Structure formats: C-alpha cells, structure tokens
C-alpha cells in the first residue's frame, strides 16, 4: 500500500507538472535545480520575502511578507513540501490571508560521471491557474519545471552548474517563464557553506547559505543585488544519514 501511494504521487506530479529553498525544496534562491535532499531529511523553516520576489499580482501592492513550510525527502529521488505564505487584501491592511501550496520534485536520472542529474517538479500542485479575466486568483506560485545539474570538483572545491526550463501557469509571473540557471560554489575548506549566482529569466540574484551545528540552515540573498530575501530552516535526518 505504501509503495502504491508513492507511485500514485509520482504519476500525479508527472502529469500535473520553485524547487526552491524558500518552499522547503532543494534549489538555489529562486531557480530550481536537480539537486536532492539526503534521503530521510525533514525540514521546518520560515523565510522573509521582499515584495519584488513575489508574483506581480502581489508585488504590485508593494508589501513584504513571510512564509513557513514543512518538507520531507522520503527517498533519495523525491522531495515533498507544504508551504504557507502570508498575504494582505490591501497594502495598508494586516496579513489577513494565506496562500497554501503543495510542492514536489522528482529526480528520474541521478547524476553520473558524464551526464547531469535531471529532475521534474511543480510548485502549488492542485490549484486552479490564476486568470484575471475570469477573476480567479488561485495559483500565485504555480510553476512546472525541468532542471538539470552537474557538479565538478577542482582541488576538492565543488562547482555546480544548473539549467532549468520553467513555466509559470499564471500570467502574473510571465517574466519568470523560460530558461533559468545558475552556478553554485562549495569551498573545500567549508563544505557546509555554499555561494551562488542565478538568472531567473528576469533577475540576477546572488546569495549564500550555510548549515550550522548539523541541524540549522541559513540562507540570504539579494535580488538584482538590491532586495533582501532570506530565511532559516531546521533540518533533521530521520534515518540518521549525513548531509554530505
């Protein structure tokens, strides 16, 4: 029965189909990757999201917000998360609404010596795509993506090269549709630290993240070198496996 449930989830995600850290799925800042969390890893975290980081429908109201999430990688080839973003009905109002999203990423091809890892994923599974003409505001964050990642070692320094094609279902996010990608760097002397630069099809973001005291994960970034987004996450491996 458990295996059947997993395969049903796989089929649904494939047919329905922001592997991103801010929704609990492994990625860069805003761009998805084919990297995966260690099997058995569970996450709980929260992020500050600046107004420019949000879909146009929300960003036009010019307010910053926060989200929180729960995530798990039951196997080495799949990640699942639930994220909740605080929203306002008006710029001056309180955070009186919430946007809830279910997110998944599946890696059908593991990285090899001569080929990259490949992953497919979707953020905001199950929501109706936003349609301004019909007055539907459902899927603010919904996007489908295919990502490839390849890592190279040089004197034990790790360089990651990532390429993705992403399609946002809502016209609110048309600026992020298309090819995205980036480069990550993990130094030999600090394997728990990662620096990155990414292109989102619209913005160029720089960022860094770090894992401290085995369980604590921190990420900070600047969108277009100006607007801060960052968060904190608690990562615990339920199977006792090490992250590196």
């Amino acid at each position: 029965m458990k295996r059947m449930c997993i395969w049903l989830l796989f089929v649904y995600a494939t047919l329905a189909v922001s592997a991103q850290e801010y929704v609990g799925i492994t990625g860069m800042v805003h761009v998805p990757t084919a990297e995966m969390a260690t099997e058995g890893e569970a996450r709980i975290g929260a992020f500050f999201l600046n107004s420019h980081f949000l879909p146009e429908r929300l960003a036009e109201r010019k307010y910053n917000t926060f989200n929180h999430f729960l995530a798990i990688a039951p196997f080495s080839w799949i990640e699942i998360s639930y994220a909740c973003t605080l929203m306002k009905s008006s710029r001056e109002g309180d955070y009186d609404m919430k946007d809830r999203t279910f997110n998944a990423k599946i890696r059908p091809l593991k990285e090899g010596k001569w080929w990259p890892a490949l992953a497919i994923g979707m953020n905001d599974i199950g929501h109706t795509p936003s349609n301004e003409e019909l007055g539907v505001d459902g899927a603010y964050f919904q996007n489908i993506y295919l990502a490839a990642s390849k890592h190279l070692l040089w004197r034990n320094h790790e360089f990651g090269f990532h390429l993705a094609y992403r399609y946002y279902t809502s016209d609110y996010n048309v600026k992020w549709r298309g090819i995205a990608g980036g480069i990550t760097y993990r130094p030999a002397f600090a394997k728990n630290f990662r620096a990155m630069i990414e292109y989102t099809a619209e913005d160029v973001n720089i960022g860094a993240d770090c894992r401290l005291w085995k369980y604590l994960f921190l990420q900070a970034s600047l969108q277009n070198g100006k607007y801060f987004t960052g968060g904190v996450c608690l990562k615990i491996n339920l199977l006792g496996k090490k992250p590196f």
Side-chain angles (χ1 to χ4, degrees), residues 34-50:
E35 295 176 327
M36 303 294 290
T38 306
E39 181 180 10
E41 184 174 274
R43 305 178 177 190
I44 180 171
F47 266 68
F48 166 80
L49 307 176
N50 76 76

Side-chain angles (χ1 to χ4, degrees), residues 1-14 77:
M1 180 60 71
K2 290 182 179 179
R3 290 185 178 181
M4 183 178 294
C5 291
I6 292 297
W7 279 109
L8 286 174
L9 178 61
F10 177 90
V11 172
Y12 176 74
T14 304
W77 50 269

Side-chain angles (χ1 to χ4, degrees), residues 23 81-85 99-103 123-125 127 141-142:
V23 294
S81 81
Y82 165 80
C84 181
T85 303
D99 186 82
R100 298 175 175 86
T101 65
F102 288 94
N103 317 283
N123 289 354
D124 203 357
I125 297 172
H127 267 180
F141 299 96
Q142 190 175 81

Side-chain angles (χ1 to χ4, degrees), residues 72-124:
I72 190 168
F75 302 102
S76 61
W77 50 269
I78 184 171
E79 294 183 44
I80 307 167
S81 81
Y82 165 80
C84 181
T85 303
L86 303 181
M87 298 167 56
K88 296 181 179 182
S89 55
S90 66
R91 179 182 176 184
E92 294 77 15
D94 297 326
Y95 293 100
D96 52 0
M97 300 188 299
K98 295 180 180 180
D99 186 82
R100 298 175 175 86
T101 65
F102 288 94
N103 317 283
K105 180 170 69 169
I106 296 167
R107 185 190 62 194
L109 180 64
K110 187 177 181 179
E111 182 176 346
K113 183 178 181 179
W114 304 111
W115 61 86
L118 295 179
I120 56 175
M122 184 176 186
N123 289 354
D124 203 357

Side-chain angles (χ1 to χ4, degrees), residues 28 35 51 72 94 98 102 120 162 164-165 211 216 229 231 243:
M28 287 189 281
E35 295 176 327
S51 62
I72 190 168
D94 297 326
K98 295 180 180 180
F102 288 94
I120 56 175
H162 312 279
Y165 178 81
R211 190 159 185 160
L216 186 64
T229 286

